């Protein structure tokens, strides 16, 4: 089955940490660019970070120094380690890949309380 499945979301206090995971199936993971996006209520979906097939990374300015994206090609999984979380990080977080094929995960809710 071709899909991305996220996990690891939840409720955390400001300053806390969470690690999101995204397990991929049905794609050649090691050759695929993997990204994390988020969408807060009433806002557009925005790119948080991505990692290329060779491990190069890029981050939104709002998360630089706090979030780290990584990948484990042996497990077909991409991670997003989120530290020093802020209430404005509250959103549904989505995993995405250009594959091929282009895929979105179902999303996982992250809520940061003040």
């Amino acid at each position: 089955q071709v899909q991305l499945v996220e996990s690891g979301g939840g409720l955390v206090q400001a300053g806390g940490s969470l690690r999101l995971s995204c397990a991929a199936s049905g794609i050649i993971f090691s050759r695929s660019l993997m990204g994390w996006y988020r969408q807060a209520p009433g806002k557009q979906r925005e790119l948080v970070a991505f990692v290329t097939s060779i491990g190069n990374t890029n981050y939104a300015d709002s998360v630089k120094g706090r979030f780290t994206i990584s990948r484990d090609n042996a497990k077909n999984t991409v991670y997003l380690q989120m530290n020093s979380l802020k209430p404005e990080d509250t959103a549904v977080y989505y995993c995405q890949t250009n594959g091929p094929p282009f895929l979105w995960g179902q999303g996982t809710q992250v809520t940061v309380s003040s």
Side-chain angles (χ1 to χ4, degrees), residues 27-44:
I27 65 172
I28 303 177
F29 182 84
S30 61
R31 298 181 185 178
S32 299
L33 182 146
M34 301 298 300
W36 286 98
Y37 287 72
R38 67 186 181 186
Q39 188 167 18
K43 295 188 176 182
Q44 289 189 330

Side-chain angles (χ1 to χ4, degrees), residues 61-110:
D61 287 342
S62 59
V63 307
K64 281 181 181 176
R66 300 188 298 121
F67 291 10
T68 302
I69 189 170
S70 61
R71 63 190 300 154
D72 185 336
N73 289 342
K75 295 182 178 180
N76 285 3
T77 300
V78 63
Y79 303 98
L80 185 67
Q81 178 67 44
M82 306 185 294
N83 299 328
S84 301
L85 282 160
K86 304 175 181 180
E88 52 263 44
D89 295 317
T90 295
V92 178
Y93 284 70
Y94 296 91
C95 182
Q96 181 268 332
T97 182
N98 290 341
F102 185 96
L103 290 173
W104 287 102
Q106 83 285 356
T108 185
Q109 176 70 46
V110 172

